[in-house]
Amino acid sequence: MGLFDDFSRFLETRLEEFLRSNPHLELQAIEEQLKEQEEDTLRLILDIQKQEKKLQAEILSAAQEIQRWNDRINKAKAAQRLDLAQAAQERQAALLRQGNQRWGQMQGCKERIEKAKELYRQIQVRRKEVRAKAAEAATRPTTKTEPNWDTRGWNQSSNYNSFNAADPLEEKFQRWEADEELDQMKRNISR
């Protein structure tokens, strides 16, 4: 893993240097991260809402079971079957505990939903701020007169696979590097 870690650190360092020298792109990268966080937060809210709905259904089911066992308690008492009434009361108590647990879990879900919604709102505000700063940075006049070749590919979507041998730029570099090597070999032989 040492080689991978070294390469990873190298890439991180190069990316940081690149973004520092191109602040508008750094803002775009931050905005993309915020967009991902926004989407993740929405998914989290939906997941918690699903949990809440499931708990509501379980609470409703428990309430129906509690009512059913309450009727059985009354029926057993009326028939003087205190042994059955006692067992039914214990079952009803267990269902009440279970229902209370589900109720507490549902309240926890509601709190988590509210916190996630607040986080979502904060992310949206931050994203708007970053978008405004990025727009401002993009409209600032640059001191460079030559085209900004090192940032030209940043906003373009990649239409090649970096591991694909059919990459035209890779082929050009390979040809150029081979030509350079051949020229060097010729110079070495002619000495």
Side-chain angles (χ1 to χ4, degrees):
M1 278 297 211
L3 181 62
F4 178 76
D5 291 338
D6 291 343
F7 183 68
S8 178
R9 278 192 295 274
F10 169 76
L11 287 178
E12 287 175 21
T13 303
R14 294 290 297 148
L15 180 61
E16 288 172 7
E17 290 171 4
F18 176 77
L19 291 176
R20 271 195 302 274
S21 65
N22 299 287
H24 64 287
L25 296 179
E26 182 175 18
L27 291 170
Q28 284 179 351
I30 291 170
E31 184 185 355
E32 288 174 21
Q33 289 174 341
L34 289 170
K35 181 182 178 189
E36 288 175 17
Q37 288 177 358
E38 201 174 274
E39 291 168 356
D40 289 345
T41 305
L42 277 178
R43 279 191 291 277
L44 175 65
I45 291 169
L46 291 174
D47 287 345
I48 299 171
Q49 286 175 336
K50 285 179 188 175
Q51 290 175 5
E52 181 186 23
K53 294 273 186 234
K54 181 181 175 206
L55 288 168
Q56 286 173 347
E58 289 176 9
I59 291 168
L60 180 60
S61 176
Q64 291 169 344
E65 279 293 300
I66 290 168
Q67 181 60 47
R68 188 167 71 100
W69 284 100
N70 189 54
D71 293 344
R72 286 180 170 177
I73 291 168
N74 293 334
K75 189 175 180 182
K77 282 182 180 178
Q80 297 296 317
R81 291 291 312 264
L82 298 180
D83 59 324
L84 288 177
Q86 178 67 30
Q89 284 176 331
E90 290 172 8
R91 175 66 57 90
Q92 185 183 36
L95 288 168
L96 279 167
R97 276 192 307 278
Q98 192 178 44
N100 283 336
Q101 286 175 343
R102 296 296 182 267
W103 185 266
Q105 291 171 344
M106 186 182 70
Q107 294 304 323
C109 282
K110 288 179 188 265
E111 290 173 14
R112 287 175 54 208
I113 288 170
E114 286 308 310
K115 287 178 183 176
K117 284 181 179 179
E118 179 58 31
L119 176 63
Y120 180 75
R121 287 187 285 273
Q122 290 172 357
I123 292 170
Q124 282 184 317
V125 167
R126 180 73 176 124
R127 188 170 170 211
K128 285 178 186 174
E129 291 169 356
V130 169
R131 192 179 301 137
K133 286 181 183 178
E136 179 185 319
T139 59
R140 271 191 220 133
T142 60
T143 57
K144 294 182 180 179
T145 55
E146 71 276 357
N148 198 354
W149 59 269
D150 60 337
T151 63
R152 192 173 300 143
W154 182 267
N155 291 320
Q156 296 174 351
S157 61
S158 62
N159 56 358
Y160 68 93
N161 182 346
S162 60
F163 299 107
N164 187 351
D167 177 13
L169 183 59
E170 178 68 24
E171 289 175 6
K172 285 180 184 177
F173 267 92
Q174 286 177 353
R175 273 195 303 273
W176 176 65
E177 289 165 346
D179 289 343
E180 288 288 311
E181 254 183 77
L182 189 58
D183 288 344
Q184 183 64 39
M185 290 169 94
K186 286 178 184 177
R187 282 192 294 271
N188 288 343
I189 291 174
S190 62
R191 285 186 196 173

